[in-house]
Amino acid sequence: MDELNTWRTRSRKPLNVLARVAVLATVLLAMPRAVLPPLEVGPQQAVETQHPITCTHTRLTDEVEPWKILRTLELVREMGAPTVVEYFPWAYYEPEAGLYDFAAAELRIDLAANQGVGVIARLGGIVPSWARPQNADGTPGPDTFLPEEHFPDFADFVAAFVERFDGRLAAIILWNEPNIALEWGFRRPDPEAYTRLIRLAADRAHAADPDLIVLAGALAPTLEPEGSDLALNDLVFLERMYAAGAAEVLDGLAVHAYGLSFPPDDPPAPDALNFRRVELVREVMARYGEGEAPIYVTEMGWNDSPRWTRAVRPGVRIDYTIAALAYAEAHWANVPAVCIWAFRYPAPQRSYGDYFTLVTPEFVRKPIYDAVRAWAVEDLWP
Amino acid sequence: MKCDRLVGRLRRLNWPAQLGLAALVVAVAAGALWVGGTILAPDDRIWARIQSERVLRVATDASYPPFSAVGPDGALYGLDVDLANALGDRLGVTVRIENITYDALLQALASERADLVISAFVADLNQLDDAAYSDPYFVAGLRAVVPHDDPGELDSLAPWTWAQARVLGVEYGSMGDVLSRQWARRVAGLTVERYETAADALDALLAGEVTAVLVDAVTAHAIVGAQDAVRLSGPTLDPEPYVIATGARSPQLLREVNRILAELEADGTLSALRQKHLGMDD
């Protein structure tokens, strides 16, 4: 298989390596300093859509070049999505306690506004190193580990973010998937502790902007039982959140609703992970008097990787995605946005995750993008 | 002051001399790093354990035939399973294969529950803290399949030229569909027919309804291996090389894996495995 040879590591002869390093150094020394052209932002745009429920989760967090951020948001607008979810990791914006640098967030939110696209800001995720516990060797601990003594610091960050973007946010989401250990510092998920965190943060957010919609972090759909160190069933976690008083400070919920290999109208059941699990979330909300509060489906979708067992064929993915958007629009009250994960990654992941996207890192629109656009803008079904 | 004098002398050198000197400094530094890296390389605990216990622990997600799957008798089979056993044979150790869900494969390395991942695995460059990757043993991606007597050959640098005036079959929504839409914008006369599955597109080729298809490499090799009437055309497009993953701190094990992969390639073992499981002629 000759083709494999192009991928193989060549023998690393020291002189060969040194010669390459020397040539590279010479080129770098001789190269003029790169100057990026200024970003040309056009006139104010508006999203044209027949289905404003259409939304997508962008991944602009790690996008470096401003023109790519703008191009992404242009494509979102052209697809007929008036809203995006975007992630703003705490650690990126408060590198030292009390020292905020919101320039990167400003660029993203300004460009979205220019395209007429509203931003639901997901706050949290990566904890700054100064707020994490230390490992035994003195290095910072897991980057999703927020000790309770630093909960007020997160609330300070949320307040600062909301004050900075006062009136320019569609909603905020506090943390992400706190019911899995991965997002909770590799500790056993703790609904009561998470509720104490969001009570602090939501109060500060509302104090900064009383009209802002504050959502709890979406839970990861999972069937993990009580006592598991890995995760906790999302419905159980939610029940315990409400029992701990979460409803008193929240304006609604963010929910994740992946279809996996099931069609969008697959009926909900406590032991099933599917798109309509959202309806079970609504039942829990209703038990605590929150049956009319909005649900934002901030991640949803199907995967069409040939390698992943929970994926579907590409054509099926297209059909399911459009059908799910239409189902939510027709059957679910108070669901303002259903957001497809994910619009585009800045770089290929080289894993099945690449098969969740609508647009490639090179801005090539996949057929699913065209299908969503045709439905949202022209009301055409695939 | 001596430092100032030295800087002054350097500034008086002409630019080729300055560049040459810079290159020399970088070369000496790189050499020092290389020598230092060799001498100070961390001990490979995983390799030491394999040597002492004579057991190689392999993680695979047995849900992806023909690479790794569970047979009716409950036994694992596939190219990856045979490759794991071939590695064990060459190392002179017993192989224990554990069926682990795809999402947890790299965690199995990080937690040292497994020594290797052999699972039709594409290198995940976001996980370089936890894993290192071998040379590839198969390149997945997209392949063009044409009738055996097709006169053209797909050129990866200008594939749209090859596609001109063809009737191209693809699976709807697939990366083949994505590429064909791009080509259709660049050349006239390309007609794209979309099918529900890659197998349907290949059936259309055999029936003469299309003049070429663009489908995933595994499906393409299977049909070419089974049908004399068609052949592959050109290289793999949008390639995804399958590799073996080791823990990031197992340099000795990785070297051994690469050495044995080269041996297996040279003596025809890998070629025979690809023929057996994928119907693939190298």
Side-chain angles (χ1 to χ4, degrees), chain B residues 65-241:
Chain B
F67 286 90
S68 182
V70 183
D73 58 353
L76 301 179
Y77 73 93
L79 192 155
D80 287 336
V81 175
D82 286 354
L83 177 56
N85 287 322
L87 278 167
D89 284 347
R90 299 293 166 108
L91 289 170
V93 299
T94 301
V95 176
R96 286 193 194 142
I97 304 178
E98 187 177 6
N99 184 5
I100 291 178
T101 180
Y102 192 84
D103 290 337
L105 288 172
L106 289 186
Q107 289 173 35
L109 289 179
S111 63
E112 299 187 8
R113 179 172 158 184
D115 307 320
L116 298 177
V117 166
I118 308 180
S119 194
F121 197 84
V122 181
D124 184 346
L125 301 182
N126 294 317
Q127 300 284 345
L128 289 175
D129 285 348
D130 294 325
Y133 305 106
S134 76
D135 291 336
Y137 58 91
F138 177 73
V139 179
L142 292 171
R143 295 302 303 252
V145 183
V146 296
H148 210 276
D149 57 357
D150 186 277
E153 194 70 18
L154 185 147
D155 175 359
S156 62
L157 295 177
W160 47 88
T161 307
W162 168 86
Q164 198 161 20
R166 285 184 185 273
V167 181
L168 187 60
V170 297
E171 178 180 1
Y172 173 51
S174 68
M175 290 310 291
D177 191 1
V178 173
L179 270 186
S180 68
R181 288 173 193 232
Q182 289 181 283
W183 297 349
R185 284 195 285 271
R186 300 191 69 147
V187 296
L190 168 60
T191 304
V192 180
E193 296 290 343
R194 297 184 175 86
Y195 297 89
E196 200 169 310
T197 67
D200 291 345
L202 286 160
D203 285 345
L205 178 67
L206 294 171
E209 296 168 12
V210 297
T211 58
V213 297
L214 201 57
V215 296
D216 70 272
V218 174
T219 308
H221 286 301
I223 194 74
V224 168
Q227 297 282 348
D228 291 337
V230 294
R231 67 174 177 85
L232 298 170
S233 183
T236 307
L237 302 173
D238 204 15
E240 293 189 325

Side-chain angles (χ1 to χ4, degrees), chain A residues 1 3-4 7-9 14 18 21 25-26 29 306-309 313-315 318 349-350 352 355 364 366-367 370 382, chain B residues 22 26-27 31 34 63-64 102-103 119-120 122-123 135-136 171-173 177-178 181-182 236 239 241 265 274 280 282:
Chain A
M1 196 179 182
E3 192 170 52
L4 280 170
W7 294 90
R8 293 210 168 98
T9 49
L18 293 180
V21 170
T26 306
L29 284 168
R307 177 65 192 88
W308 197 41
T309 49
R313 312 264 352 158
I318 292 171
Q349 297 197 334
R350 293 291 170 202
Y352 70 89
Y355 294 83
V364 175
K366 295 183 181 179
D370 291 331
Chain B
V26 171
W34 180 74
S63 64
Y64 189 52
Y102 192 84
D103 290 337
S119 194
V122 181
D135 291 336
E171 178 180 1
Y172 173 51
D177 191 1
V178 173
R181 288 173 193 232
Q182 289 181 283
T236 307
E265 196 68 78
R274 288 191 289 262
M280 180 176 165
D282 284 358

